[in-house]
Amino acid sequence: MATPRVTVWHEYRHEKTHKEVSDVYPEGMHTPIAKYLREQGLDVKTATLDEPEHGLTEAVLAETDVLTWWGHMAHGDVKDEIVTRVQQRVLDGMGLIVLHSGHHSKIFKKLMGTTGNLKWREANEKERIWIVDPGHPIAEGLNEYIELPHEEMYGERFDVPAPDELVMVSWFEGGEIFRSGCCWTRGRGRIFYFRPGHETFPTYFNPEILKVIYNGVRWAAPHAIKPTPVVNVKVPLETIRS
Amino acid sequence: MATPRVTVWHEYRHEKTHKEVSDVYPEGMHTPIAKYLREQGLDVKTATLDEPEHGLTEAVLAETDVLTWWGHMAHGDVKDEIVTRVQQRVLDGMGLIVLHSGHHSKIFKKLMGTTGNLKWREANEKERIWIVDPGHPIAEGLNEYIELPHEEMYGERFDVPAPDELVMVSWFEGGEIFRSGCCWTRGRGRIFYFRPGHETFPTYFNPEILKVIYNGVRWAAPHAIKPTPVVNVKVPLETIRS
Amino acid sequence: MATPRVTVWHEYRHEKTHKEVSDVYPEGMHTPIAKYLREQGLDVKTATLDEPEHGLTEAVLAETDVLTWWGHMAHGDVKDEIVTRVQQRVLDGMGLIVLHSGHHSKIFKKLMGTTGNLKWREANEKERIWIVDPGHPIAEGLNEYIELPHEEMYGERFDVPAPDELVMVSWFEGGEIFRSGCCWTRGRGRIFYFRPGHETFPTYFNPEILKVIYNGVRWAAPHAIKPTPVVNVKVPLETIRS
Amino acid sequence: MATPRVTVWHEYRHEKTHKEVSDVYPEGMHTPIAKYLREQGLDVKTATLDEPEHGLTEAVLAETDVLTWWGHMAHGDVKDEIVTRVQQRVLDGMGLIVLHSGHHSKIFKKLMGTTGNLKWREANEKERIWIVDPGHPIAEGLNEYIELPHEEMYGERFDVPAPDELVMVSWFEGGEIFRSGCCWTRGRGRIFYFRPGHETFPTYFNPEILKVIYNGVRWAAPHAIKPTPVVNVKVPLETIRS
């Protein structure tokens, strides 16, 4: 497989309006993710909400093998036509990594068919992400768990289709659990949802978290991007005698 | 569990414009389905596209445990707000049985997140539906396969999420196969897609096919219909010390 | 479906040698389970390790729709031929509910093909069992979680095949999580593993826990018990011309 | 990932006793498979039943990332201790590709927990293997289907656990269908069952079939081989206060 071409998409609004966010991510949350993936040898671009077409033109998508998505306060500002474009590209084979509050993004809900609802709490509590499928490619090189001293809590019930593969489950200090690392295939495209990444914590500087994102990109990278044919097969493959 | 309340929804357009359809289904395709389900003791209503709100008012849905759906030539005439209403009801627990050309209905595509595309051929060929999960409730009382002497062909690749449970796979005389009986859960709701039922064949008079629809209704009937909470859990269940 | 006939199988050794166990379960751990299931209207027998053929004769199994299994200190004393007999009956359609330390029973390991290994700790800690699939029949009538003030901890990685349906995940006070309610189908038989039930705690007197076992029995009850045919199909269904 | 080290295991009995087999595979069925995988750059050994320890010593397995398995007439001659050794290695992460009549091998049945039973017919009929999951790594580079002019038929019901991923379904001229390309994970190990390969047909010289086996090896190659810990976690990760 050729080197995956990654587009790290970021809403990039919190950093411009919330000092507590820009203090943690002075160059935006997308920057440490893009930097890490580049260091692993991937071919990485970034794109943000306020660029024309949200930075997700047909041309950009045509050269993207895997798209990562972080959004939160401005899900509603993402144009429906761009969402449809991204969905079609995923169905044709592009990988998609949905991060944290992306659970409520239009693209995630559209691909899942569910609300993406969950419980949450901002209490700076401890999260321990347990690997429940250690043979999965996304678990490559990880220990039995990843510990984050301070994160926002997400709790079940997480309203998503049962994952095709469940790789990680989080324990939260305040008493909840959450299916934190979930894989689905839709069309030819592979989708990985990865829970951590609240905007006021330096989660995307954590090397283990970055490794999971990298593993997710590798897992989601397509073998080929092509549409599923819709064909009226007028000439049957075999003779029909009935 | 109480007796499931079923609404058999039907597009009911072909019968009004195509004599070859009304010859087979003089009272509409929904009628033999509703009749059979009633004979099994279920509480059955029907609803059709050209009724106000397509017969799917809030009141009707509130009293529906399982909805069956057949549509084809007029998918585009189904109003988006009704589709959203049905989707929400499914996510809250209502069962949904999608029949044949319903694979391209708005509601099915919205719940699946995929195109629902497939191959097809109208050549009146033989279909043999094999049971691959004989212990499944939907397979109750069936033989190893169901044979239909004349049906429209649907062929893979069928662009749907991998079924949570695959119950049936069809063999077609012309050389194709198809995942014909597929189960998914979305939110609290259970969805069963069942392939056969081209409008020019008396498929919905076939007692084995009707039995599958009945089994599907029983399987999809909810235990309780309630929304998934979206809660900011401000007071944690456990003391947070980190 | 007829009323399921249940056999509650119990190792019944701890109670005879450990006072701390017989203090909690003076009539054996199987007794409150059998009593509850009977009160729900099921047809219930019990069987124990030290009976002839462990109480699982061909005749008993032939009249059992669902078998529940608790064992721990004497897994090795269960005869291989009885295990093979139970396995065959499950493959033919009998439901099996495996409780707690049954994760290391011969029958569970044989049906799973894996070691059933896990982490554990006896520290009388709090367990909170979260429902992650609230639409599942086994979750019928439950709240969002079940809380047990004192239980043994089981932690991931639990070495089982990915469940066909994951219904519950436990949070433990000491920092672990566990896939606590797991469903599989093997052959025609349905298997439900349910984690709680350490022998020194009154877990099987807890009405919510008993309700889960009851729901599990209902879910696992077969529609028909019959072997999968192994047939040399000498006469093809269709003419072969190639 | 480093280059996978493959051991192509073959029963190698038919070729010695059945001229119709040795005419097709004069060097044994394992030879064209091993040759092809070597040509793709993999590190390939072969091993056969009649070698000491069936060629599967601890040392050989320790240097095997993926094992392929073809057996038929002599399943019963494979020693139980070797089967247990291979099973443990799979659970620790080794990939396993089970070919054709290997559905009844001890190792496959032990890992599946089911009988592996199916229907069959030796009638030299046409098989068409349809790809139902075109985005799957095992489908890389394939067309919509693979056609084999002459093969033995295998028909449903195939008594295996529902595959974690179903990649291919076969159509047979005589009227059956079969889940032909099935993926499971057991422990850390990935297992791929691939149907074609009757000993009297040159199936393992077919470049598309060989490509599927190669893709299967790539998919099943482990990221790391290590046992799942069985640990009494005496010191909890978090303070227990209940």
Side-chain angles (χ1 to χ4, degrees):
Chain A
M1 196 197 302
T3 302
R5 300 162 300 174
V6 184
T7 299
V8 175
W9 191 89
H10 184 45
E11 187 181 275
Y12 206 15
R13 288 270 179 90
H14 286 276
E15 295 90 334
K16 296 171 183 170
T17 53
H18 293 71
K19 185 170 182 308
E20 58 174 353
V21 179
S22 59
D23 280 354
V24 180
Y25 294 103
E27 299 175 274
M29 299 178 80
H30 52 313
T31 302
I33 295 172
K35 181 168 176 286
Y36 179 88
L37 295 179
R38 256 183 221 116
E39 288 167 1
Q40 311 313 308
L42 302 186
D43 177 357
V44 182
K45 290 189 183 68
T46 63
T48 56
L49 179 64
D50 292 325
E51 298 174 36
E53 303 185 41
H54 313 322
L56 298 173
T57 60
E58 291 281 7
V60 165
L61 288 179
E63 296 189 341
T64 299
D65 294 313
V66 182
L67 178 68
T68 76
W69 192 281
W70 194 104
H72 182 219
M73 63 187 285
H75 288 320
D77 291 356
V78 179
K79 284 177 210 141
D80 289 340
E81 64 179 277
I82 306 293
V83 174
T84 299
R85 182 189 290 169
V86 171
Q87 179 193 26
Q88 191 52 57
R89 179 80 182 162
V90 170
L91 296 180
D92 289 350
M94 181 178 74
L96 179 69
I97 313 294
V98 176
L99 295 169
H100 191 63
S101 43
H103 72 90
H104 263 163
S105 63
K106 287 182 179 179
I107 182 61
F108 186 63
K109 292 192 290 185
K110 192 157 193 168
L111 283 161
M112 295 292 108
T114 60
T115 63
N117 286 346
L118 46 77
K119 293 200 187 66
W120 79 99
R121 177 175 55 237
E122 296 189 37
N124 305 358
E125 70 201 87
K126 189 189 290 187
E127 175 178 14
R128 185 176 291 109
I129 305 171
W130 287 93
I131 312 303
V132 300
D133 187 358
H136 195 280
I138 293 181
E140 186 175 351
L142 301 178
N143 295 322
E144 289 198 298
Y145 58 81
I146 298 171
E147 204 169 293
L148 297 170
H150 299 287
E151 254 292 348
E152 182 183 13
M153 183 280 289
Y154 278 8
E156 296 280 347
R157 205 262 160 154
F158 183 22
D159 186 24
V160 286
D164 295 334
E165 297 164 307
L166 177 64
V167 185
M168 298 165 188
V169 175
S170 285
W171 175 98
F172 286 97
E173 192 181 0
E176 283 87 0
I177 55 90
F178 194 77
R179 289 171 292 168
S180 274
C182 297
C183 298
W184 297 270
T185 295
R186 290 296 179 267
R188 289 168 173 266
R190 293 176 156 212
I191 302 163
F192 177 54
Y193 175 80
F194 187 42
R195 198 212 76 82
H198 188 60
E199 64 272 12
T200 62
F201 302 116
T203 299
Y204 295 133
F205 292 103
N206 179 309
E208 290 177 291
I209 296 300
L210 289 165
K211 181 162 186 48
V212 172
I213 296 173
Y214 170 71
N215 286 349
V217 167
R218 298 288 304 198
W219 171 81
H223 302 285
I225 294 194
K226 22 184 181 169
T228 292
V230 194
V231 187
N232 186 344
V233 192
K234 291 190 178 166
V235 181
L237 302 164
E238 306 290 329
T239 309
I240 292 170
R241 292 164 296 166
S242 65
Chain B
M1 196 194 304
T3 302
R5 299 163 300 174
V6 184
T7 299
V8 175
W9 191 89
H10 184 44
E11 187 181 276
Y12 207 14
R13 289 270 180 91
H14 286 276
E15 295 90 334
K16 297 170 182 170
T17 52
H18 294 70
K19 184 168 182 309
E20 58 173 353
V21 179
S22 59
D23 280 354
V24 179
Y25 294 102
E27 300 175 274
M29 299 178 81
H30 51 314
T31 301
I33 296 173
K35 181 166 176 285
Y36 179 89
L37 296 179
R38 258 184 221 115
E39 288 167 1
Q40 310 313 307
L42 303 186
D43 178 357
V44 183
K45 288 190 185 69
T46 62
T48 56
L49 179 63
D50 291 325
E51 297 173 37
E53 302 185 44
H54 312 323
L56 298 172
T57 60
E58 291 281 6
V60 165
L61 288 179
E63 296 189 341
T64 299
D65 294 313
V66 181
L67 179 68
T68 76
W69 192 280
W70 195 103
H72 182 219
M73 62 186 283
H75 288 320
D77 292 355
V78 178
K79 283 178 209 140
D80 289 340
E81 65 181 276
I82 306 295
V83 174
T84 299
R85 183 189 291 170
V86 172
Q87 178 192 28
Q88 191 52 57
R89 178 81 182 163
V90 171
L91 296 180
D92 289 350
M94 182 179 72
L96 180 68
I97 314 293
V98 177
L99 295 169
H100 191 63
S101 43
H103 72 89
H104 263 163
S105 63
K106 287 183 179 178
I107 182 61
F108 186 63
K109 292 192 289 184
K110 191 156 192 167
L111 283 161
M112 294 293 107
T114 58
T115 63
N117 286 345
L118 46 77
K119 292 198 188 67
W120 79 97
R121 177 175 55 238
E122 295 189 38
N124 305 0
E125 69 200 88
K126 189 188 289 185
E127 174 177 14
R128 185 176 290 110
I129 305 172
W130 287 93
I131 312 304
V132 300
D133 187 357
H136 196 281
I138 294 181
E140 185 175 349
L142 301 178
N143 294 321
E144 289 198 299
Y145 59 80
I146 298 171
E147 203 169 294
L148 296 170
H150 299 287
E151 255 291 349
E152 181 182 16
M153 183 280 288
Y154 278 8
E156 298 277 347
R157 206 263 160 153
F158 183 22
D159 186 25
V160 286
D164 295 334
E165 296 164 307
L166 176 65
V167 185
M168 297 164 189
V169 175
S170 286
W171 176 98
F172 287 97
E173 192 181 0
E176 283 87 0
I177 56 91
F178 193 77
R179 289 171 292 168
S180 273
C182 298
C183 299
W184 297 269
T185 295
R186 290 297 179 265
R188 289 168 173 267
R190 293 176 157 212
I191 302 162
F192 177 54
Y193 174 80
F194 187 42
R195 197 212 77 82
H198 188 59
E199 63 272 11
T200 61
F201 301 116
T203 299
Y204 295 135
F205 291 103
N206 180 309
E208 291 177 290
I209 296 300
L210 289 166
K211 183 162 184 48
V212 172
I213 295 174
Y214 171 70
N215 287 348
V217 166
R218 298 286 307 197
W219 171 82
H223 302 285
I225 293 194
K226 22 183 184 170
T228 293
V230 193
V231 187
N232 186 345
V233 192
K234 289 190 177 167
V235 181
L237 301 165
E238 307 289 330
T239 310
I240 293 170
R241 293 164 295 168
S242 66
Chain C
M1 195 195 304
T3 303
R5 299 163 299 174
V6 184
T7 298
V8 175
W9 191 88
H10 184 44
E11 186 181 276
Y12 206 14
R13 288 271 179 91
H14 285 277
E15 294 91 334
K16 297 172 182 169
T17 53
H18 294 71
K19 184 167 182 310
E20 59 173 353
V21 179
S22 58
D23 280 354
V24 180
Y25 294 102
E27 300 174 274
M29 300 178 80
H30 51 314
T31 300
I33 295 173
K35 180 166 177 285
Y36 180 89
L37 296 179
R38 258 184 222 117
E39 288 167 1
Q40 309 315 305
L42 303 186
D43 178 356
V44 183
K45 290 191 182 69
T46 63
T48 56
L49 178 63
D50 292 326
E51 297 173 37
E53 301 186 43
H54 312 322
L56 298 172
T57 59
E58 292 280 7
V60 165
L61 288 179
E63 296 189 341
T64 299
D65 293 314
V66 181
L67 179 68
T68 76
W69 192 280
W70 195 103
H72 181 220
M73 62 187 284
H75 287 320
D77 293 355
V78 179
K79 283 178 210 140
D80 288 341
E81 65 180 276
I82 306 294
V83 174
T84 300
R85 183 188 291 170
V86 172
Q87 179 193 26
Q88 190 53 55
R89 178 82 182 163
V90 171
L91 296 180
D92 289 350
M94 182 179 72
L96 180 68
I97 313 294
V98 177
L99 296 169
H100 191 63
S101 42
H103 72 89
H104 262 164
S105 63
K106 286 182 179 179
I107 182 62
F108 187 63
K109 292 192 289 185
K110 191 155 192 166
L111 283 161
M112 294 293 107
T114 59
T115 63
N117 286 345
L118 46 76
K119 292 199 187 66
W120 80 98
R121 176 174 57 238
E122 295 189 39
N124 305 359
E125 70 200 87
K126 189 188 289 185
E127 174 176 14
R128 186 177 290 109
I129 305 172
W130 287 93
I131 312 304
V132 301
D133 187 358
H136 196 280
I138 293 182
E140 185 175 350
L142 301 178
N143 293 321
E144 289 198 299
Y145 58 80
I146 298 170
E147 204 170 293
L148 297 170
H150 299 287
E151 255 292 349
E152 181 183 15
M153 182 280 288
Y154 278 7
E156 297 279 347
R157 206 268 160 145
F158 183 22
D159 186 25
V160 285
D164 296 334
E165 297 164 306
L166 176 65
V167 185
M168 298 165 187
V169 175
S170 286
W171 176 97
F172 286 97
E173 193 181 0
E176 284 88 0
I177 56 91
F178 194 77
R179 290 171 291 168
S180 274
C182 297
C183 299
W184 297 269
T185 295
R186 291 296 179 267
R188 288 168 174 266
R190 294 177 156 212
I191 301 164
F192 177 53
Y193 175 81
F194 187 42
R195 196 213 78 82
H198 187 59
E199 64 272 12
T200 62
F201 302 117
T203 299
Y204 295 133
F205 291 103
N206 181 309
E208 290 177 291
I209 296 299
L210 289 165
K211 184 163 184 47
V212 172
I213 296 174
Y214 170 70
N215 287 349
V217 166
R218 297 287 307 198
W219 171 82
H223 302 285
I225 294 195
K226 20 184 184 170
T228 292
V230 194
V231 187
N232 187 345
V233 191
K234 290 191 177 166
V235 180
L237 302 164
E238 305 290 330
T239 309
I240 293 171
R241 293 164 295 167
S242 67
Chain D
M1 195 196 302
T3 303
R5 300 163 299 175
V6 184
T7 299
V8 175
W9 191 88
H10 184 44
E11 188 182 273
Y12 207 14
R13 288 271 179 91
H14 286 276
E15 295 90 334
K16 296 171 183 171
T17 52
H18 294 70
K19 184 167 183 309
E20 59 174 352
V21 179
S22 58
D23 279 355
V24 180
Y25 294 103
E27 299 174 275
M29 299 178 80
H30 52 313
T31 300
I33 296 172
K35 181 166 176 286
Y36 180 88
L37 296 179
R38 257 184 221 115
E39 288 167 1
Q40 310 313 308
L42 303 186
D43 178 357
V44 183
K45 290 190 184 67
T46 63
T48 56
L49 179 63
D50 292 325
E51 297 174 37
E53 303 185 41
H54 311 323
L56 298 173
T57 60
E58 291 281 7
V60 165
L61 288 178
E63 295 189 342
T64 300
D65 294 313
V66 181
L67 179 68
T68 76
W69 192 280
W70 195 102
H72 181 219
M73 63 187 283
H75 287 320
D77 292 356
V78 178
K79 283 178 209 140
D80 289 340
E81 65 179 278
I82 305 295
V83 174
T84 299
R85 182 189 290 169
V86 172
Q87 179 193 27
Q88 191 52 57
R89 179 79 182 164
V90 170
L91 295 180
D92 289 350
M94 181 179 74
L96 179 69
I97 313 294
V98 176
L99 296 169
H100 191 62
S101 42
H103 72 89
H104 263 164
S105 63
K106 287 183 178 178
I107 182 62
F108 186 62
K109 292 192 289 184
K110 191 157 194 167
L111 283 161
M112 294 293 106
T114 59
T115 63
N117 286 345
L118 45 76
K119 292 199 187 67
W120 79 98
R121 176 175 56 237
E122 295 189 39
N124 305 358
E125 70 200 89
K126 189 189 289 186
E127 175 177 14
R128 184 177 291 107
I129 305 171
W130 286 93
I131 312 303
V132 300
D133 186 359
H136 195 281
I138 293 182
E140 185 175 351
L142 301 178
N143 295 321
E144 289 197 298
Y145 59 80
I146 299 170
E147 204 169 292
L148 297 171
H150 298 288
E151 253 292 349
E152 181 183 14
M153 183 279 288
Y154 278 7
E156 297 279 347
R157 207 262 159 152
F158 184 21
D159 187 24
V160 286
D164 296 333
E165 296 164 308
L166 176 64
V167 186
M168 298 164 188
V169 175
S170 285
W171 176 97
F172 286 97
E173 193 181 0
E176 284 86 1
I177 57 90
F178 194 77
R179 290 170 292 168
S180 274
C182 298
C183 298
W184 297 270
T185 295
R186 291 297 179 265
R188 290 169 172 265
R190 295 176 156 212
I191 301 163
F192 176 53
Y193 174 80
F194 186 42
R195 198 213 76 83
H198 188 59
E199 64 271 12
T200 61
F201 301 116
T203 299
Y204 295 134
F205 291 103
N206 180 308
E208 290 176 290
I209 296 300
L210 289 165
K211 182 161 185 49
V212 172
I213 296 174
Y214 170 70
N215 287 350
V217 166
R218 297 287 305 198
W219 172 81
H223 303 286
I225 293 192
K226 24 184 181 169
T228 293
V230 193
V231 187
N232 186 344
V233 192
K234 290 191 178 166
V235 180
L237 301 165
E238 306 290 329
T239 309
I240 292 170
R241 293 164 296 166
S242 64

